[in-house]
Every structure is written in structure tokens, then in C-alpha cells.
Amino acid sequence: QKAGQLFSGLLAMNVVFLGSAFISSMIFNHVAITLADVWILLSILKVLCVCWIICYLLGTSRQPHAVLYRDSHAGPIWVRGSVLLFGSFSILLNVFQIGYSTILIQCKSRVEIVFPSIEIVFICTQALFLWHHSKDCIQVHHNFTRCGLMLTIATNLLLWLLAVTNDTIHMEIESQLRNDTTSCICPNTTICKVFQKGYILLYPFNTEYCLVCCSVLYVMWKNVGRRISHHHAPHIKPKFKLQGVVFGPLLGTATVIIGICVFMVYQIQATGSAPNRQVFVMYYSYYIVLLPLMSVGAVIGTIIHALEKRELDTLKNPTRSLDAILLMGAALGQIAMSYFSIVAIVATDPRDLLNSLILSYSVLLIFQNITQNVFIIDGLHRQPFVAATEARHRGHARQHTAASELPGEEETTTSCKQEHTQISPGKEEEMKEEQNHEGYDQRRVSMLELGQEIRKVSLSYIQSYSHLSWKRRALREISFFLVLCNIILWVMPTFGAHPVFENGLEKSFYGYSTWFAIVNFGLPLSVFYRMHSVGGLLEVYVTA
Amino acid sequence: QKAGQLFSGLLAMNVVFLGSAFISSMIFNHVAITLADVWILLSILKVLCVCWIICYLLGTSRQPHAVLYRDSHAGPIWVRGSVLLFGSFSILLNVFQIGYSTILIQCKSRVEIVFPSIEIVFICTQALFLWHHSKDCIQVHHNFTRCGLMLTIATNLLLWLLAVTNDTIHMEIESQLRNDTTSCICPNTTICKVFQKGYILLYPFNTEYCLVCCSVLYVMWKNVGRRISHHHAPHIKPKFKLQGVVFGPLLGTATVIIGICVFMVYQIQATGSAPNRQVFVMYYSYYIVLLPLMSVGAVIGTIIHALEKRELDTLKNPTRSLDAILLMGAALGQIAMSYFSIVAIVATDPRDLLNSLILSYSVLLIFQNITQNVFIIDGLHRQPFVAATEARHRGHARQHTAASELPGEEETTTSCKQEHTQISPGKEEEMKEEQNHEGYDQRRVSMLELGQEIRKVSLSYIQSYSHLSWKRRALREISFFLVLCNIILWVMPTFGAHPVFENGLEKSFYGYSTWFAIVNFGLPLSVFYRMHSVGGLLEVYVTA
């Protein structure tokens, strides 16, 4: 198994390096390696991936005993949903590109219509594949499947890298704004303008799509050949319910509404010819009020987690490990950008009003990212309330069937194993509790006969339960609030508010091209971070 | 424990990001952030590290029950030796820098003498600390120690980053060669020339020193608070012995001698004003002959490993995990450079003699790195022959004392547990085998009484033993040969043979500054890779 993983990993590494070298060569030597060369390489890779996916759909997955097990943690509905959503946006983007190239066919080569068509086929096939098979733990054709998955991951990574580094379209549009005399000027038809605007608007979704696909494919790769006990029935999984939270949604909705107002004012003012200074002050003030609130929420949540003493879930779970790594990794983009800003401001003039705002914004952003990461990762490692007993059963079953790490399992399985295996969370638990109460009253006589012992245990059980209740409520309020905050912080940069580039401070300090490279690397990661945080926080909300 | 690791890791991350932002600012905006600013930041960090190390040496490590356990895998002698060796070279480097600055005091600021002095103190303290305490599993002041270690790691990383990106000294010397009219011209005294030459020669060792320290400190950080069973006595560790290998050393020595000749010719020819084309042909031909030999050796070694069916050592071992990651990570530098070369050559003219040589050199280098990595990592995960039973005992003891993952332990501990616990490897094993033979003859009568069963087992045991013998011999020959090859491949770039820069092909393709950045990133990593491979191969040799 290790050999197969190593081999397929090496394959992916080589493909990624070759592609990166191609893309870098295109950037640094436009003449020898053109964008068309890079597109040819990527199209070959895409065709190979599509072939493999078709093989998988028609061959591998239909073999007898191919998919005996499915990983219930892999590919949750919000991830598969975002694959579909971003996939459709990416297809739309390619349609727009085809339309745009068709209008300007006199100055564009014909391949600029061929490549987007291949891209559309690739996106469709991949989205279909991920929608139906992201939970598979395939048991046949191990090495072929691993290599195919790794090839698809490498292709997605390269598409992401190209999307991040390739700014030709922006250059083209910018040069048109400056009324340069190029042969490729969009004729003043509405349809051309729509294609152009749509392209710019949809562009970020394409980069998101690549990253999300990579993460799903990686989990599938980890799951190749994995055996999971059948004891784990998926219907026990806690479901999303809105009951019992008040302040989180209220405060969050207010934040979102204010955020949308700020964003709209910003977009109208800042994209004009001469950006107003006040609009930056407004934008950064909004963040400076919001970020401490979010940080405090995350810190309180972490403290509650520590107080709760709920059992840690130490079962092997590739999805969760990847989630933690992705959160940490994606946060690095934002943190790196913030540190670059801090150094630039401290070196220029930190006493200016706008500069001091940007400075505090950067510091707060670092703090917020770190506290939120700690809160989410901490939350993901807690056992969900009802799944606790069930997880233990699973754990035992796994100990018999396959090798797995369960340190100290023997010590923790002494209590409450025979009770509630089939209940679901939230309200139903409280109902259960009340039933317990009634039963308690009815069987009082027999209880007395059983002595003080059981009474004590039962009382302490109820007491701890009501104790947990306020903690659970607080956790839900906090995570719901953070979900809404992260959504607005995700929407703003996605739809074009990039003050980090438009304020001009860092741009003049580091020079245009350097700062452009830093932002091009950091911004897509920070957008991905917000999206991924929303997913993680929803999970924390559901399991709290 | 996890919380402490997370917190100290975040501390290090923030320090590294702040420092990187500083260093990048210095590169992209010489005016606002000068080299002196970066030096001030690094000096503050160094002083903090030295304070912490003194605290550790005088306070933490002298507390009762501070160091109950020592990790025998951590800080092997060759690593500590290289810390001392590179540390002394780095001190010498700083002495040269102080001397050079003293001679040119009229045009240099006084801080250029202060900073190297702080650096010397830092290197001395750190080398002393690592020499004595690299095996510690500290049991007190967990979080303070973790933070201190992480701060020291961050400082070393930043020093490495600065050393890799800072080329002022080379610029200065280059401008002197071009006879520019700067105020800082080295007077034509011997001492000044010696300082200059020595500086250039010793520079690479400083970067190596930082990386080696980082890796040792990281293992110490992983070992904070770890508990290890006392059963594991260090004297069972296999020792380095030269007996039984012939072809490996012979072939390796020949390689080294030819390599030194090639290197000397290259250095004389290529550093002249107009590098000769033939010297490059010679240099690359040497590599093209050597690399396939090494690859074939590594592949054969991997096959033998697979044939041997020796038990895999699945015990937790931070040193080994780090070794594998470092090998893979450091190889990426070389592989990235090779891919950049390949793309540049294919895009220019692959049919030219020199270009086709460089092309095959690059492809072979990628192949060699990958096969060697697979061979070493595979070898590191095998149980040493004699340690096999002992490791099992340790495994059992650990199961009782602390939580650890030992999948399938119960299934594998059925055989030969009572035999040879105190023997040591190599020749002694063969003696043991002969003793078994003698005993076999003497006790023949009683053997017959015990029936065919035991006889069969014994025969198959001896047979498998003699089978292993040729495999072990082959493994030792191969690893010894690879050790010598890696040494020569390490010496050549370390002492200044950088054909990847001097042949001018990639330089003209990517542009000077881009290629300089790529080489500055890739070359130190590839040098580190060679050094680290030597260590890994020695371990494979010893345990084979």
C-alpha cells in the first residue's frame, strides 16, 4: 500500500514540477514558451484525466466488490455542493471566454476556442465523478486508481497555478481602459461587455473550483484500499438544525447587512478613476470593529471546549486531518500578506490615520485567523454528543477487523455502553432527558430499593447534562455568528474588493510586480480559507 | 501536549513570517529597510535564543527528574559531528568577516563588526547545547522549552533564508573583479585576499549549519515530554564496521578520485574569464556516466529490500520521520532546478551537443534522486537484524507504559522471543551461526528423538540465514558505493562548481535575476540533500 502511495505521489510531483517549470518559463520568457504551449500541455493532461475518469466510471467502479465501503466523513454535502456550484460557474466562465474569442476572432487564434471546450468537458466529467464517487473506498485496481487520482490532482493544481499567475486577461482589459491602440478592442456591443464583465466576475470561482476538487480527490486517494467496519451507519450523523440559537444569527445577519452596504459603497467609490481616501477608512473601520468580535468569539469557544471535557475523537479520519492542514495552510496566505503590510507600514509612516488603520487591520487579521483556526480544529476533534457511544462500538469493531490506533481505548469504555444507540441530537435529546425524568418519578419505589448508588449516578448525570446545555448553546451561537462573518469576509474579496491592492501603499513600497505576485499568491488562498472556514464552522455547529 | 505544540508552532510561524517579510522588504526596497535593520531583528532573536539556552543549561536540565529518558535515535554521532564541524566553519567565516570589515573600516559601518560577534556567541552556545542535549526528552517546563526550541528553529530558518537571498558579498567581489570605482577596494595585501577567498569558500557551510541545527532542534521539540521505556539499552545499537565489503569501496574510491580530477580541471578552466566549452562537456559526461550507475545501484537495493521480507519497524520515531521528510523536501530543490533546465533546453535547441548533455544530465538527476530516496526511506524502515527481538520487547514495554501505535503487534510476537537478546551484529552473528552448527552436530542424537519437525525448522533457519547473507552483502556494497558517490557530489557544488549557473544557457533563457533566484533556492537544498543522503545511507549500511 505504501509503495503504491509513494509511486503515485512521485508521479504527481513530477507532473506538477514539469508544469510549474512550463508556467514559469512562460512568465519569464514569453517568446520561447507561449501561453498556447502551456495550454497544450494542460489539455493533454486533461484528456488523460478524462480518459481515466471514464475508465473508473465504466470499468473500475462496476467491478464486483469494487466499492464495499464508503467513508461517511468524505465529501460532505456542502463540499459536493460547492463542487457543483463552482463547477457550473467555471463552465459559464469558459462559455464567456469562447464567446469573447468568437467576437474577436480576427485577432485571436482559433485554439482559444478549442481549449475552453476541452476545459468544459473536463469540468463536467470531474464534477459528475466527484458527485457520485467522492465517498468511495475502492478495493480493486489500487495502483491504477491511485495514479489516476494523483494525475487529476496534479492537473487541478496546475490549473490553479496558471489561473493565479496568468493575468493576461486583466492586462488586456486594463489596456483597453487606458484606450491603448491594440487591434483587439471590444466592439461597443452589449454582448461583448457582458462577456468581459462576466469573465472578471467569475474568474475567482474557477480558482476555488480547482482547490476544492484537489481536496476531495486527495481524500479519495487516501481512502483507496481502506476498509471500514459496517457498524457505522450514516443515519446517526447529526443534522443541521436552527433551534436554540438567537444571538448568533441576529448579530451575524446585522454584520452581513452592514458588510454588504460597506462593500457596495466601496465598489462604487474605489473602482472609479481616483479612489477616495474616506472609502478606505470606512472599509478598514468595518474590519477593525468586526475582527476583534470574531477573535473574542473564537477564544470564548476554545475556552468552552476546554471546559467541556468532552472526549476527543482519535479515530483515523483522512478528511479531518486534511481539513486541519488546509485551514492552517490557507491561513498562511493571509498571514503572509498581513506581515508584508505591517513591515511596509512600519517602514513608511505608521502615524498617518489610514496607515494606522491598515496596521491594526493587519495585526487583527493575523490574530483572528489564528484564534479561529484553533477553535475550528479543536471543535473538529471533539466527539459529537450522540455519536460518542456509537463511535466506541465502531472502534471496537475496527480493533478486530483491521489495524488502527486507539490509545487507551480499554480505559474509556466502561460506562454507558448499552444506552441510547439510535437517538439523534438536539431537541430529541432534551426530550429523552424529560422522559428520563418521568421514568425517574414513576419508578421511584424500585429506585429506593436499589439504594443510593444509582440515584447519585443519575443525579450527577442530569446535572452534567444541564451544565452542558448552556455550553452547547454558547458554542452554537458562536459558531453560527462566525459562519455568517466568514461568509461576508468571503464575499467581499471574491467580488472584487481588494483594498490591499487598491490603496497603493504596499504597491509603491514593494514595487508593482512584486506586490502583484504576493497578492496573487495570498488572496486566492485567503478566499479559499474563508470558504473552508465556513465548512469547518458548520461542522462545529452541527456537532456542538 | 497538543496545545503546547500548537502554541509554540504558531509562535515560530509568526516569527518566521515577520522575518521573511523583513528580508523580502530588504530585497525589494533597499531604501526603506536596509540590511542593518534585518541584522538588528536577527540579533534580537539570537540574544533571546542564547538567553533561553542558558536558562535551559543552568535551570531546566538541572531540575530533579528533568531528563529521565533519552531518545537513542535522536542526534546520532554524524549529525552532532556535522553540527560541530559546520559550527566551527561558521565561526571562522564570521572571524573572516570581522577581519575584512576591520581592514575596510573606512567605508564600512561599525555594526558590521558587532553583528558577527553576536553571531559567534550564538553559534558557540547552540553547538554546545546541541552536542550535550540533543537526545533529551525533557519532562519539566514543557511549554517554556517548546517555545524556546521553536524560537531557535525560527531564528535558524531566518538565518538560512538571509544567507540564501543575500548576495551582497558576491556582488561586492564581482564589482571588484570588474574594477569598478567603489571606495571599498580590498588593498592588495595577502591578508585581505585570504579573508575574501576564505569567506567565499566557507559561505556554503554556514547555510548547511543552519539547516542541520533546525533538524536537530525539531527532533528535540518532538521529544519534549516523551516517555520512553528503559528497556532500550543503547549498547545493542549496531556499530559501523568495514568487513565484508569490497566492490563498493573500490568503485566508490575510483569515482571520488576521478571526480576530484574533473572538479579541479573544471575549477581551473571555468572560473577563468572565458569558460571553455569542452570543460562543460567533461563535467556533464562525468555525471552522465555516474548517475545511471547510482540509480541502478539504488534500484537493485530496493529490489533486495523487497526480496528480504525483513520486518518493518513501525515504532514511533520522530528522527526517522523527519529524515524521510527532509530527504524528500531537500530533493525537491534539485528536481525543481532540473525541470527548469529541461524546459529551457527543450525550448531552445536540444540537438546541440552540450545542450543534449545537459538535458540527459537533468533527466538522470531527477531519476537518481527519486530512486535513491526510495532506497534510503525503504532501508530506514527495516528492522536492524539483531535489534529485531529487542524492539519487540521495547514495543511490549511501551504498550504498558504509554499510549503508542503498534498495529498488529499481537500477531507478530509469536516466534523466537526467548532467543539472542544480547548479541551484536555483523561478524558475531556469523560466529553464532557456526556455533549453532556445532551444537547441531553434538546434539544429533537427541535431535533425532525430537523428530523431524525441529530438524526442518532448523534447516530452513540456516538456509534462510545464508540466503540473507548475500543480500546483506549486496546491500552493504551498494550503500557504501552510494555514500562515496554522494560525498563527491556534495563536495563539488559546495566548493564552487556551479555549471548550472556558469554554462549560461538557463541564465539567458530565464533572465539573470530569475535564474539567480531559482539557483539560490535550489542549490543549497541540493547540497543539503547530498549531505543528508550520506547520513541516511550510512544508517542503511550499518543496519543492513
Side-chain angles (χ1 to χ4, degrees):
Chain A
Q1 192 186 344
K2 283 275 167 201
Q5 287 194 344
L6 186 67
F7 181 73
S8 56
L10 287 171
L11 173 79
M13 187 195 75
N14 280 293
V15 172
V16 168
F17 270 104
L18 181 64
S20 313
F22 248 83
I23 293 172
S24 316
S25 303
M26 180 199 72
I27 295 169
F28 296 114
N29 192 335
H30 284 288
V31 185
I33 304 267
T34 60
L35 185 57
D37 294 331
V38 175
W39 274 112
I40 290 169
L41 177 73
L42 284 176
S43 297
I44 293 169
L45 288 176
K46 279 178 208 160
V47 169
L48 283 177
C49 290
V50 168
C51 290
W52 172 75
I53 290 175
I54 290 169
C55 276
Y56 184 90
L57 292 177
L58 301 182
T60 311
S61 68
R62 297 204 176 165
Q63 290 227 336
H65 313 297
V67 190
L68 295 174
Y69 314 97
R70 307 191 116 231
D71 179 1
S72 61
H73 297 287
I77 185 72
W78 64 269
V79 169
R80 285 187 294 157
S82 52
V83 166
L84 274 203
L85 184 74
F86 295 150
S88 1
F89 282 138
S90 301
I91 291 170
L92 208 62
L93 176 82
N94 282 290
V95 170
F96 281 6
Q97 196 176 4
I98 293 174
Y100 185 69
S101 300
T102 316
I103 290 172
L104 298 171
I105 195 73
Q106 77 278 6
C107 66
K108 301 234 175 207
S109 70
R110 219 162 274 276
V111 288
E112 293 201 32
I113 299 169
V114 176
F115 292 139
S117 316
I118 297 173
E119 172 92 16
I120 289 174
V121 173
F122 176 67
I123 293 170
C124 289
T125 328
Q126 185 171 255
L128 179 79
F129 167 65
L130 291 182
W131 180 260
H132 286 292
H133 294 279
S134 59
K135 288 178 186 300
D136 289 7
C137 298
I138 200 90
Q139 303 295 334
V140 290
H141 296 178
H142 286 191
N143 289 331
F144 183 61
T145 310
R146 281 206 188 94
C147 289
L149 285 168
M150 267 294 161
L151 188 69
T152 321
I153 291 176
T155 310
N156 277 297
L157 271 183
L158 288 175
L159 285 174
W160 179 76
L161 193 65
L162 182 67
V164 167
T165 52
N166 178 24
D167 50 335
T168 46
I169 213 84
H170 294 104
M171 294 280 219
E172 207 167 89
I173 290 160
E174 212 164 80
S175 79
Q176 280 172 25
L177 285 177
R178 279 187 273 105
N179 281 323
D180 283 5
T181 52
T182 53
S183 61
C184 268
I185 290 172
C186 199
N188 274 326
T189 52
T190 327
I191 187 89
C192 187
K193 292 279 170 218
V194 166
F195 283 160
Q196 229 178 36
K197 269 277 166 205
Y199 191 91
I200 292 175
L201 215 64
L202 291 174
Y203 199 73
F205 290 107
N206 191 25
T207 59
E208 299 292 293
Y209 175 74
C210 297
L211 286 185
V212 174
C213 286
C214 277
S215 67
V216 179
L217 288 165
Y218 175 78
V219 171
M220 283 188 73
W221 180 75
K222 288 290 269 187
N223 278 336
V224 170
R226 197 176 155 205
R227 284 158 197 279
I228 299 167
S229 147
H230 272 297
H231 281 248
H232 181 229
H235 67 271
I236 302 185
K237 217 176 171 184
K239 287 200 181 69
F240 184 79
K241 282 181 179 180
L242 252 179
Q243 286 107 322
V245 283
V246 181
F247 301 105
L250 274 183
L251 203 57
T253 314
T255 311
V256 169
I257 292 168
I258 300 170
I260 289 170
C261 297
V262 169
F263 173 64
M264 275 157 66
V265 173
Y266 178 88
Q267 276 301 81
I268 293 162
Q269 296 270 322
T271 52
S273 50
N276 198 331
R277 214 180 128 86
Q278 278 175 334
V279 79
F280 288 116
V281 173
M282 180 196 71
Y283 184 91
Y284 284 115
S285 307
Y286 172 70
Y287 268 86
I288 287 170
V289 173
L290 179 59
L291 291 174
L293 275 179
M294 291 173 73
S295 308
V296 168
V299 169
I300 292 174
T302 313
I303 292 169
I304 292 175
H305 270 150
L307 286 177
E308 244 190 353
K309 294 189 187 68
R310 225 195 293 167
E311 250 174 71
L312 286 177
D313 181 4
T314 47
L315 275 174
K316 195 179 172 184
N317 183 344
T319 315
R320 189 177 49 203
S321 321
L322 180 70
D323 275 348
I325 292 169
L326 281 182
L327 274 175
M328 278 295 178
L332 292 188
Q334 181 62 65
I335 292 173
M337 279 206 299
S338 293
Y339 270 113
F340 275 104
S341 293
I342 290 171
V343 170
I345 292 161
V346 170
T348 16
D349 175 20
R351 262 151 303 191
D352 176 68
L353 172 66
L354 183 56
N355 285 5
S356 60
L357 278 178
I358 302 177
L359 185 63
S360 16
Y361 159 84
S362 305
V363 173
L364 286 171
L365 212 45
I366 293 171
F367 191 66
Q368 195 271 325
N369 272 339
I370 290 174
T371 50
Q372 182 168 295
N373 272 355
V374 172
F375 173 63
I376 296 176
I377 292 171
D378 209 13
L380 290 181
H381 279 84
R382 304 278 155 172
Q383 295 269 17
F385 266 93
V386 277
T389 34
E390 191 271 331
R392 268 185 216 121
H393 283 293
R394 203 190 334 158
H396 273 284
R398 278 189 71 176
Q399 264 198 338
H400 293 296
T401 53
S404 84
E405 60 284 286
L406 282 169
E409 177 72 16
E410 277 73 25
E411 287 88 72
T412 59
T413 47
T414 46
S415 60
C416 60
K417 214 156 97 188
Q418 65 287 351
E419 296 183 312
H420 49 83
T421 320
Q422 288 287 340
I423 53 167
S424 53
K427 278 282 149 189
E428 284 177 47
E429 274 199 333
E430 278 154 42
M431 277 163 62
K432 178 102 190 182
E433 190 189 340
E434 279 162 34
Q435 281 171 11
N436 278 355
H437 248 304
E438 284 169 31
Y440 178 70
D441 292 329
Q442 283 169 5
R443 275 171 277 148
R444 181 185 281 265
V445 189
S446 57
M447 281 280 287
L448 280 166
E449 282 168 351
L450 279 166
Q452 289 287 89
E453 197 77 51
I454 293 173
R455 194 176 178 177
K456 250 188 224 163
V457 171
S458 174
L459 269 171
S460 75
Y461 177 68
I462 291 163
Q463 210 165 29
S464 75
Y465 214 91
S466 61
H467 253 296
L468 286 171
S469 275
W470 74 260
K471 286 176 192 159
R472 290 185 58 193
R473 228 169 13 238
L475 276 182
R476 288 183 159 228
E477 301 275 12
I478 290 170
S479 45
F480 204 100
F481 170 65
L482 287 178
V483 165
L484 289 174
C485 290
N486 275 290
I487 286 175
I488 185 70
L489 295 189
W490 170 49
V491 164
M492 284 161 92
T494 302
F495 290 101
H498 304 145
V500 81
F501 202 71
E502 283 138 10
N503 69 40
L505 175 84
E506 296 96 344
K507 200 158 60 175
S508 64
F509 185 83
Y510 290 105
Y512 181 86
S513 59
T514 310
W515 185 240
F516 196 81
I518 295 170
V519 170
N520 252 2
F521 167 78
L523 208 59
L525 278 184
S526 88
V527 169
F528 181 74
Y529 172 75
R530 291 295 166 197
M531 204 200 76
H532 208 83
S533 296
V534 170
L537 285 164
L538 279 179
E539 212 143 307
V540 172
Y541 176 82
V542 165
T543 56
Chain B
Q1 192 190 341
K2 282 275 167 200
Q5 287 194 343
L6 187 67
F7 182 73
S8 55
L10 287 171
L11 173 78
M13 188 195 73
N14 280 291
V15 172
V16 167
F17 270 104
L18 182 64
S20 312
F22 247 83
I23 292 172
S24 316
S25 303
M26 181 199 72
I27 295 168
F28 296 115
N29 192 334
H30 283 289
V31 185
I33 305 266
T34 59
L35 185 57
D37 294 330
V38 176
W39 274 111
I40 290 170
L41 177 74
L42 284 176
S43 297
I44 294 169
L45 287 175
K46 279 178 210 160
V47 170
L48 283 176
C49 290
V50 167
C51 290
W52 172 75
I53 290 174
I54 290 169
C55 277
Y56 183 91
L57 292 176
L58 301 181
T60 309
S61 68
R62 296 204 177 166
Q63 292 227 335
H65 314 296
V67 190
L68 295 174
Y69 313 98
R70 307 191 115 230
D71 180 1
S72 61
H73 297 287
I77 186 71
W78 64 270
V79 169
R80 286 187 293 156
S82 53
V83 166
L84 274 202
L85 184 74
F86 295 151
S88 2
F89 282 138
S90 301
I91 291 170
L92 208 61
L93 176 82
N94 281 288
V95 169
F96 281 6
Q97 196 174 7
I98 294 174
Y100 186 68
S101 300
T102 317
I103 290 173
L104 298 171
I105 195 73
Q106 77 277 7
C107 66
K108 302 235 173 204
S109 70
R110 220 163 274 275
V111 287
E112 294 202 32
I113 298 167
V114 177
F115 291 141
S117 315
I118 297 174
E119 173 92 15
I120 289 173
V121 173
F122 175 68
I123 292 170
C124 288
T125 328
Q126 185 171 257
L128 179 79
F129 166 65
L130 291 182
W131 181 261
H132 286 294
H133 294 278
S134 58
K135 289 179 186 297
D136 288 7
C137 299
I138 200 90
Q139 303 295 335
V140 292
H141 297 179
H142 285 190
N143 288 332
F144 182 62
T145 309
R146 281 206 188 93
C147 290
L149 284 169
M150 266 295 161
L151 189 69
T152 320
I153 290 176
T155 310
N156 277 299
L157 271 182
L158 288 175
L159 285 173
W160 180 76
L161 192 65
L162 182 67
V164 168
T165 54
N166 179 24
D167 50 336
T168 45
I169 212 84
H170 295 102
M171 293 280 219
E172 206 169 271
I173 290 159
E174 213 163 80
S175 78
Q176 280 173 23
L177 284 176
R178 278 187 273 105
N179 281 323
D180 286 4
T181 54
T182 52
S183 61
C184 268
I185 292 172
C186 200
N188 274 327
T189 53
T190 327
I191 187 89
C192 186
K193 292 278 171 219
V194 167
F195 284 159
Q196 229 177 37
K197 270 277 166 204
Y199 191 91
I200 292 175
L201 216 62
L202 291 173
Y203 200 73
F205 290 107
N206 191 24
T207 59
E208 299 291 295
Y209 176 73
C210 296
L211 285 185
V212 174
C213 286
C214 276
S215 66
V216 179
L217 287 164
Y218 175 78
V219 172
M220 284 188 73
W221 179 75
K222 288 291 269 188
N223 278 335
V224 170
R226 195 174 156 208
R227 284 158 199 279
I228 298 167
S229 146
H230 273 297
H231 281 250
H232 181 229
H235 67 272
I236 302 184
K237 218 177 170 184
K239 286 197 184 70
F240 184 80
K241 283 180 180 179
L242 251 180
Q243 287 106 322
V245 283
V246 182
F247 301 105
L250 274 183
L251 203 56
T253 314
T255 312
V256 169
I257 291 168
I258 298 170
I260 289 171
C261 297
V262 170
F263 173 65
M264 275 157 67
V265 173
Y266 178 86
Q267 276 301 81
I268 293 163
Q269 296 269 322
T271 52
S273 49
N276 197 329
R277 212 182 131 85
Q278 277 175 336
V279 79
F280 288 116
V281 172
M282 180 196 70
Y283 184 91
Y284 284 116
S285 306
Y286 173 70
Y287 268 86
I288 287 172
V289 173
L290 179 57
L291 291 174
L293 276 180
M294 291 172 72
S295 308
V296 168
V299 168
I300 292 173
T302 314
I303 292 169
I304 292 175
H305 271 150
L307 287 177
E308 242 189 354
K309 295 192 187 65
R310 227 194 291 167
E311 250 173 73
L312 286 177
D313 181 4
T314 47
L315 276 173
K316 197 179 170 184
N317 183 344
T319 314
R320 188 177 50 202
S321 321
L322 180 70
D323 274 347
I325 293 169
L326 281 181
L327 275 175
M328 279 296 179
L332 292 189
Q334 180 63 63
I335 292 173
M337 279 206 302
S338 293
Y339 271 114
F340 275 103
S341 292
I342 290 171
V343 170
I345 293 162
V346 171
T348 17
D349 175 22
R351 262 151 303 189
D352 177 68
L353 170 67
L354 184 55
N355 285 5
S356 60
L357 278 179
I358 302 178
L359 185 63
S360 16
Y361 160 83
S362 304
V363 173
L364 286 171
L365 212 46
I366 294 172
F367 191 66
Q368 195 270 325
N369 272 338
I370 290 174
T371 49
Q372 182 169 294
N373 272 355
V374 172
F375 173 62
I376 296 175
I377 292 172
D378 208 15
L380 290 181
H381 280 84
R382 304 281 154 169
Q383 295 268 18
F385 265 92
V386 279
T389 32
E390 192 270 333
R392 268 188 215 119
H393 283 292
R394 203 191 335 159
H396 273 284
R398 279 189 70 173
Q399 264 199 339
H400 293 296
T401 51
S404 84
E405 61 282 288
L406 281 167
E409 177 73 13
E410 276 73 26
E411 287 88 71
T412 58
T413 47
T414 46
S415 60
C416 61
K417 214 156 94 189
Q418 63 287 352
E419 297 184 310
H420 49 81
T421 319
Q422 289 288 340
I423 52 163
S424 52
K427 280 280 151 189
E428 283 176 48
E429 273 197 332
E430 278 155 39
M431 276 163 63
K432 177 103 189 180
E433 190 188 339
E434 279 162 33
Q435 281 169 12
N436 277 355
H437 246 304
E438 283 169 31
Y440 178 68
D441 291 329
Q442 282 168 5
R443 274 172 277 147
R444 182 186 279 263
V445 187
S446 55
M447 281 280 286
L448 279 166
E449 282 167 353
L450 279 166
Q452 290 285 88
E453 198 79 51
I454 294 175
R455 195 177 175 174
K456 253 188 220 160
V457 171
S458 174
L459 269 170
S460 75
Y461 177 70
I462 291 164
Q463 208 165 30
S464 75
Y465 214 90
S466 61
H467 253 295
L468 285 170
S469 275
W470 75 260
K471 287 176 191 160
R472 290 183 59 193
R473 231 177 2 246
L475 278 181
R476 288 186 158 225
E477 301 274 13
I478 290 169
S479 44
F480 204 101
F481 170 65
L482 287 178
V483 164
L484 289 174
C485 290
N486 276 288
I487 287 176
I488 185 69
L489 295 189
W490 169 49
V491 164
M492 284 161 93
T494 304
F495 290 100
H498 304 147
V500 81
F501 202 71
E502 283 136 10
N503 69 39
L505 175 84
E506 296 96 344
K507 200 159 61 175
S508 64
F509 184 82
Y510 291 106
Y512 182 85
S513 58
T514 309
W515 185 240
F516 195 82
I518 295 170
V519 170
N520 252 2
F521 166 79
L523 207 59
L525 277 184
S526 87
V527 170
F528 181 73
Y529 171 75
R530 291 294 166 198
M531 205 198 76
H532 208 84
S533 296
V534 169
L537 286 165
L538 279 180
E539 212 143 306
V540 172
Y541 176 82
V542 164
T543 56

